[in-house]
Amino acid sequence: MKRRRLAIVGFGRLGQACGSAILESDDLALAGIVRRPDTLLSPRPAQFADVSTVSHASELGELDAALICLPTALVCEAATDLLQHHTPIVEAAAFDIGLRETHWHTIDRMAVRRGVQAVVGAGWDPGIRGLFEELFAVLCPKGGTATHDRPGVSLHHTLAARAIPGIRDALCAEFKGVDGSARRYVYVELLPGADLEPAARAIRSDPLFLNEETVVLPVDSVATLEEEGHGLVIERWGRASGKDHQRFLLEGRFDHVAIAGQVMAAAARALPLLRAGAYPLNRIPLAALR
Ligand SMILES: NC(=O)c1ccc[n+]([C@@H]2O[C@H](COP(=O)([O-])OP(=O)(O)OC[C@H]3O[C@@H](n4cnc5c(N)ncnc54)[C@H](OP(=O)(O)O)[C@@H]3O)[C@@H](O)[C@H]2O)c1
């Protein structure tokens, strides 16, 4: 299979995340990185040492797409320039909701005029997060959604979990559900040879956790989780097919820039299947992203 040649424009946090996602993929190739003249020669992480770095995408030859990872205010101009040169683009700029639509329309008009494809808002937020929320609303059309960013960490419960035999380290995040009850997510790093189930049972039967919904999740390293983790809980409740009290939860703790990079790389796969114009993720078949 011929790898699709992608350029990254802007090599900050998101640009580097896109680069890592491309290098780890089996079907994409990093054609080069487009940087400002004054950072062109700046040191790069070792994995990108052999990648061409240029000051304009046109220096990279034939490209299948460019992933725009510039500060928000510069994205529209860069997108216009690339589309004028018939290069398909992916962008994920985090505009406020009001400005987002206008930005997407501007890119759409240019993409249609030039006969080129674009995927817009292809990150975590804007991006896949909205898809999860839409999917939940399909399941429970009559109801409500609550999204909790960074659920609070409970020191008390964290210390209790750390004292359980078999656990090397733990972190307990908690949030109040729509019914006012506390829900807890306990991330545990086990000692070598320890089993999750007895440790999880011991946590749930600890008086501090009794009578509250507690989910125990194993992780490789609690320290890494604390350093990189962006916590999120999306909760949807409501009525489906005449039945009340349906409830769905999405719980995640992750590096949202890494996820945005992964989504931009996925969006680049979908480009050849699209007609000219700009598409947010909810207008792209899921299968085209894989
Ligand atoms: N949708 C999502 O989930 C999501 C997540 C994260 C970020 N984003 C979006 O991604 C974009 C980039 O975010 P980021 O966190 O990667 O930003 P960043 O770390 O500041 O990187 C931006 C890069 O753009 C380049 N650049 C070009 N002209 C610049 C200028 N005048 N000032 C500063 N940088 C300039 C620089 O790279 P060079 O030195 O290589 O030129 C810089 O490192 C933003 O639009 C942000 O909203 C979206």
Side-chain angles (χ1 to χ4, degrees):
M1 188 199 349
K2 191 167 168 278
R3 287 173 182 257
R4 297 178 53 67
R5 278 172 49 81
L6 306 182
I8 291 172
V9 183
F11 203 53
R13 284 165 300 176
L14 183 60
Q16 294 186 29
C18 285
S20 300
I22 293 168
L23 293 185
E24 281 176 13
S25 80
D26 298 325
D27 58 337
L28 306 173
L30 186 50
I33 303 166
V34 181
R35 307 197 73 176
R36 289 170 290 180
D38 44 332
T39 53
L40 212 47
L41 300 175
S42 306
R44 290 171 271 165
Q47 60 174 330
F48 301 108
D50 297 333
V51 179
S52 311
T53 307
V54 298
S55 58
H56 195 270
S58 57
E59 297 167 57
L60 293 173
E62 191 87 358
L63 289 172
D64 290 302
L67 311 188
I68 304 177
C69 303
L70 296 170
T72 304
L74 304 179
V75 170
C76 197
E77 189 187 333
T80 303
D81 180 46
L82 286 156
L83 292 169
Q84 275 173 343
H85 287 86
H86 298 280
T87 303
I89 61 135
V90 175
E91 67 90 51
F95 282 102
D96 286 344
I97 291 202
L99 296 174
R100 199 180 287 171
E101 295 281 321
T102 314
H103 169 68
W104 290 357
H105 278 136
T106 308
I107 295 183
D108 183 54
R109 271 199 306 276
M110 178 58 65
V112 170
R113 199 177 307 148
R114 293 285 159 178
V116 188
Q117 308 94 324
V119 182
V120 290
W124 167 249
D125 184 14
I128 289 281
R129 171 177 165 161
L131 284 193
F132 279 118
E133 286 166 346
E134 283 184 38
L135 214 51
F136 278 4
V138 169
L139 301 178
C140 274
K142 296 219 163 103
T145 302
T147 302
H148 313 262
D149 272 300
R150 298 190 176 277
V153 169
S154 160
L155 198 56
H156 228 51
H157 291 79
T158 294
L159 290 175
R162 279 181 187 156
I164 303 278
I167 291 181
R168 192 207 299 268
D169 201 357
L171 181 77
C172 177
E174 65 180 17
F175 77 97
K176 288 256 185 283
V178 283
D179 55 1
S181 64
R183 303 228 170 80
R184 304 194 190 285
Y185 292 88
V186 188
Y187 301 88
V188 295
E189 180 182 328
L190 296 169
L191 285 167
D195 285 331
L196 177 65
E197 206 30 57
R201 225 178 302 125
I203 292 173
R204 287 194 207 99
S205 49
D206 185 290
L208 258 187
F209 292 88
L210 271 182
N211 304 324
E212 277 163 4
E213 196 176 319
T214 300
V215 181
V216 180
L217 301 160
V219 294
D220 291 339
S221 161
V222 166
T224 310
L225 186 77
E226 278 186 280
E227 218 169 89
E228 299 181 348
H230 168 92
L232 176 101
V233 175
I234 300 175
E235 184 181 21
R236 176 84 185 172
W237 67 96
R239 197 172 154 81
S241 298
K243 283 234 180 288
D244 281 326
H245 309 303
Q246 311 300 304
R247 193 179 129 234
F248 296 88
L249 274 183
L250 171 77
E251 194 278 341
R253 197 161 274 266
F254 53 91
D255 180 330
H256 80 285
V257 179
I259 293 298
Q262 198 65 53
V263 176
M264 288 183 81
R269 288 191 182 97
L271 285 164
L273 303 172
L274 305 173
R275 287 216 281 234
Y279 298 79
L281 290 178
N282 63 0
R283 290 187 53 213
I284 298 177
L286 214 46
L289 299 169
R290 302 188 61 216

